[in-house]
Amino acid sequence: MLDKAKQSLAFFFEGTNPMPPVHLDTRYDRAGNFLVEPGNTVVSHLVQGSPSAAAIIEVRERIRAMPDADRLAFTPISSLHMTLFQGIIEYRRRLPYWPVDVPLDTSIDDMTRLYLKRLDGFQPCPPFRVRTIGITPNGLTVAGAFEEDEAILRRWRDALSVPFGYRHPDHDTYVFHITFAYQIRRLADERAAAWRDLFDDCLSFLGREAPVIELKPPAFCSFKDMKHFEELLVLG
């Protein structure tokens, strides 16, 4: 029987998941070009130039060097971040992903302006630390570096749900991550062992070189696509 890590990786391979990637042709095209998909969010960017950022970029480059990495659409290094709370986005105009007191046809720019007003005076939760707990073709799966950090991450999500006006269905179980890439095509089953070996090596590497990931304070950001997240209001 597959262990949990192998089960999660199975999602990315043709034999176990023949369904097309969910964001294909809305977030990016089949050539790997990112498409316009405006929205807003709260993220913590990597601290550029930090040792942990250098280690993460090294892992990203190792993934890009795989012979079948052309099945992935990579975001720019400058965009690397951990999402703390998902905002609204153009192609998800429905409840419960939108505040019940705002019309669903409100423009993204108007929603961003509304959230800037609602976040004025927001009382931030304490700082937190995170670490890598897994790697997939999409990037890193992360969690609180220690038990208290995980609790703080969840406090942030609870606090942000008030000004944002909703709680996603996965609010309490949300898996924190740092995205490197999106799948254009599922990976070939015969390549599974090579990918697992790579991820095992990279996870060990990050455990040595970046046991704690250095992140900037959470910031409310706007975006037009997945290539850049403009910090509009630092919350931490």
Side-chain angles (χ1 to χ4, degrees), residues 21-33:
V22 64
H23 297 297
L24 184 62
D25 294 328
T26 55
R27 183 163 295 177
Y28 54 96
D29 64 22
R30 295 169 192 274
N33 302 304

Side-chain angles (χ1 to χ4, degrees), residues 11-64:
F11 174 85
F12 297 94
F13 290 91
E14 294 171 332
T16 47
N17 184 19
M19 296 296 293
V22 64
H23 297 297
L24 184 62
D25 294 328
T26 55
R27 183 163 295 177
Y28 54 96
D29 64 22
R30 295 169 192 274
N33 302 304
F34 285 93
L35 307 174
V36 174
E37 187 187 19
N40 52 57
T41 186
V42 176
V43 310
S44 289
H45 282 98
L46 297 187
V47 176
Q48 293 186 7
S50 66
S52 60
I56 288 169
I57 291 168
E58 167 66 20
V59 169
R60 177 182 178 275
E61 292 308 301
R62 292 184 188 184
I63 294 174
R64 288 187 67 222

Side-chain angles (χ1 to χ4, degrees), residues 14 149 194 202 209:
E14 294 171 332
D149 296 301
C202 288
E209 301 297 326

Side-chain angles (χ1 to χ4, degrees), residues 127-222:
F128 52 81
R129 297 157 294 177
V130 301
R131 63 186 176 93
T132 304
I133 60 171
I135 305 177
T136 74
N138 286 156
L140 307 183
T141 303
V142 303
F146 301 97
E147 187 173 336
E148 60 267 30
D149 296 301
E150 187 68 22
I152 291 169
L153 286 168
R154 301 299 167 180
R155 283 176 59 188
W156 271 97
R157 288 183 61 78
D158 287 344
L160 288 165
S161 70
V162 177
F164 277 85
Y166 51 74
R167 292 166 68 98
H168 286 207
D170 67 349
H171 179 87
D172 294 320
T173 58
Y174 182 75
V175 177
F176 298 99
H177 56 276
I178 297 174
T179 297
F180 293 168
Y182 294 91
Q183 277 202 301
I184 300 170
R185 295 171 55 203
R186 302 298 182 199
L187 299 173
D189 294 339
E190 59 268 23
R191 292 284 299 153
W195 281 98
R196 289 183 181 126
D197 287 346
L198 172 70
F199 294 148
D200 288 345
D201 289 344
C202 288
L203 193 58
S204 297
F205 171 76
L206 289 176
R208 296 190 307 271
E209 301 297 326
V212 173
I213 298 172
E214 295 159 275
L215 296 173
K216 294 175 63 177
F220 175 62
C221 299
S222 65

Side-chain angles (χ1 to χ4, degrees), residues 2 25-26 31 38 41 54 70 73 78 85 87 92 96 104 111 126 138 143 169 187 197 203 226 230 234:
L2 293 174
D25 294 328
T26 55
T41 186
D70 58 350
S78 60
F85 190 91
R92 197 164 56 197
L104 291 172
M111 290 298 296
N138 286 156
L187 299 173
D197 287 346
L203 193 58
M226 295 296 111
E230 184 70 22
V234 177

